[in-house]
Amino acid sequence: MDGSVNCIIEQKRPFSPSSFHYLIPRLTFGYIQSRGDHVCILRDIADFKSPSQVSDLISEEKFEAVLIIHLYKGGKLLLDSRVPCGAIFGGTDINEDIKDEKKREVMGAVLQKSRFLVAFTDELKKTAEQHWPFASSKIHVQPQGVATKPCAKFKWIEFLQNSGIQCKNIDPYIFLLVCGLRRVKDPLFLVDAFSAWHKKEPRVYLVIIGPEVDAAFTQQVADKVKSAHGVHLVSEKPQEELHAAMRDSFAVVNSSISEGMSSTILEAMDLKVPVLARNIPGNRAIIRHEKTGLLFFDPPEFVALSKRLISDTGLKESIVTKAKEYVDKHHSWSTERETYQRLTADLF
């Protein structure tokens, strides 16, 4: 279908490095265009206030198909559209929005309209099937692909100093929590416990790095961090700088209440940096405790596991080696590319 045009509607973040809302659409975007027979237009959910605006855009631009990211936030904009569409589950859509009856009704309508749907994990697919059995044959499981490219000119000491960490006479242990500042990421979950730990062990620091997604919540995080010890809040960085900061950190942390599939965790694994992640379904789908990472239920367990990781270098080396093997085997770009090229071909 030479010259076909399709639109990918996503929820962009000002934070480019690791949010799947950013990464997956652009990878998909590239995969589709790399076939050489499609032209893709990438649009932000925030650009539209109603389904009719999307319908008008589709008519004006003569789009032949649409791929949406996030079954509710993206999907609700397709309710007036008649062009073929596909959908990629996010995480909050299936884990959180599905609990709301009105949102669930909208998502069901989107499932009926969609020619295919992509879930990152078997768990997400099973949850969707429980609510919408009719859509089972449409749902394809495709884990996210991962690739990292740390900045060659990155200066670690300068990064620490700019973050407010003075380490002239110490060798610090930096725990990096990468997330957009919104409640579902729960960046304050570990702050009190980490602050208490830092008072006893001044070499440990928690650096929270990410964009302002929810302004009011961002202020709440900033206020809390100001009164904490050893905890620092840093604004978002370009992707390559973030990857370099992750690479040079002692560990990468995830404290989310809910995840679809955390690209930050996958990137840390690819960079051979140990991951400590909250024990939730989305994280358990990609982390085997004490094999490819460490899973914690609460702040005290996080501190205990962190201390163990510091003292047991053999455990750390084993984890990062197995984690790297895991992402190389299960999260390759080539497999992901083939899946999206095959699926999107059915839209035309």
Side-chain angles (χ1 to χ4, degrees):
M1 299 276 305
D2 190 37
S4 297
V5 178
N6 70 313
C7 178
I8 299 178
I9 299 178
E10 63 152 343
Q11 182 179 15
K12 290 183 189 174
R13 299 292 186 201
F15 186 40
S16 62
S18 297
S19 168
F20 71 79
H21 286 300
Y22 177 97
L23 183 61
I24 287 301
R26 281 162 177 72
L27 289 182
T28 308
F29 183 90
Y31 295 156
I32 299 169
Q33 291 211 132
S34 67
R35 289 171 55 94
D37 53 3
H38 299 306
V39 177
C40 297
I41 306 297
L42 189 65
R43 296 298 299 267
D44 185 354
I45 287 174
D47 292 344
F48 309 101
K49 295 182 179 180
S50 68
S52 62
Q53 288 184 325
V54 173
S55 184
D56 290 344
L57 173 70
I58 290 170
S59 297
E60 292 168 6
E61 299 291 341
K62 296 183 172 56
F63 291 137
E64 296 183 42
V66 176
L67 176 61
I68 58 101
I69 316 299
H70 199 286
L71 199 59
Y72 176 70
K73 292 177 182 176
K76 66 182 179 180
L77 296 171
L78 286 187
L79 297 182
D80 289 349
S81 170
R82 295 183 180 181
V83 298
C85 68
I88 301 173
F89 295 151
T92 53
D93 47 6
I94 301 302
N95 292 328
E96 302 298 327
D97 292 335
I98 205 168
K99 300 171 186 177
D100 184 300
E101 184 177 350
K102 292 183 178 179
K103 291 181 179 180
R104 189 168 62 246
E105 183 178 342
V106 170
M107 292 193 287
V110 176
L111 279 162
Q112 289 182 320
K113 288 172 64 71
S114 300
R115 292 194 180 179
F116 69 82
L117 302 111
V118 177
F120 297 146
T121 66
D122 291 322
E123 188 85 21
L124 286 176
K125 179 179 180 179
K126 289 177 183 177
T127 301
E129 288 173 334
Q130 289 172 1
H131 291 272
W132 304 290
F134 70 87
S136 180
S137 62
K138 294 183 180 182
I139 304 173
H140 304 263
V141 177
Q142 175 55 58
Q144 293 187 61
V146 61
T148 55
K149 188 179 180 182
C151 176
K153 298 180 180 180
F154 180 77
K155 297 179 180 179
W156 176 240
I157 299 301
E158 185 177 305
F159 170 80
L160 294 180
Q161 291 174 342
N162 290 339
S163 301
I165 299 172
Q166 302 300 322
C167 53
K168 183 178 278 188
N169 299 315
I170 63 170
D171 184 16
Y173 293 97
I174 305 300
F175 292 77
L176 195 67
L177 197 166
V178 182
C179 68
L181 299 181
R182 51 190 177 123
R183 294 186 185 281
V184 73
K185 296 300 182 180
D186 207 5
L188 297 179
F189 184 61
L190 301 171
V191 169
D192 287 338
F194 207 100
S195 180
W197 182 27
H198 176 81
K199 288 180 183 178
K200 298 178 180 179
E201 175 48 84
R203 293 188 300 167
V204 298
Y205 290 89
L206 177 65
V207 176
I208 303 171
I209 181 169
E212 176 182 311
V213 178
D214 178 328
F217 183 65
T218 297
Q219 187 59 53
Q220 183 180 333
V221 172
D223 291 342
K224 179 71 173 180
V225 167
K226 284 180 183 178
S227 62
H229 298 272
V231 182
H232 299 262
L233 180 61
V234 179
S235 60
E236 69 268 29
K237 303 295 180 186
Q239 183 175 356
E240 293 185 2
E241 288 186 27
L242 180 71
H243 285 166
M246 291 168 65
R247 177 200 62 199
D248 294 344
S249 296
F250 177 75
V252 167
V253 180
N254 177 291
S255 59
S256 297
I257 295 170
S258 172
E259 287 282 3
M261 177 172 284
S262 169
S263 54
T264 296
I265 289 177
L266 296 177
E267 288 165 353
M269 289 178 165
D270 191 53
L271 291 164
K272 300 192 73 172
V273 179
V275 175
L276 293 110
R278 196 163 177 173
N279 199 331
I280 57 174
N283 292 342
R284 288 196 298 270
I286 55 178
I287 292 177
R288 291 177 60 209
H289 182 58
E290 297 184 340
K291 301 297 183 182
T292 57
L294 297 171
L295 296 168
F296 60 87
F297 281 104
D298 54 32
E301 186 176 20
F302 165 80
V303 173
L305 289 171
S306 297
K307 290 179 178 179
R308 183 180 168 195
L309 196 63
I310 290 173
S311 63
D312 190 341
T313 56
L315 174 64
K316 180 182 178 183
E317 187 58 36
S318 174
I319 284 175
V320 298
T321 299
K322 291 175 182 176
K324 176 62 174 173
E325 292 172 354
Y326 166 78
V327 294
D328 287 346
K329 182 177 180 180
H330 298 285
H331 296 273
S332 73
W333 271 26
S334 59
T335 301
E336 187 181 39
R337 180 180 64 244
E338 291 169 6
T339 296
Y340 282 107
Q341 288 182 342
R342 172 173 52 82
L343 292 175
T344 54
D346 293 338
L347 293 176
F348 301 98

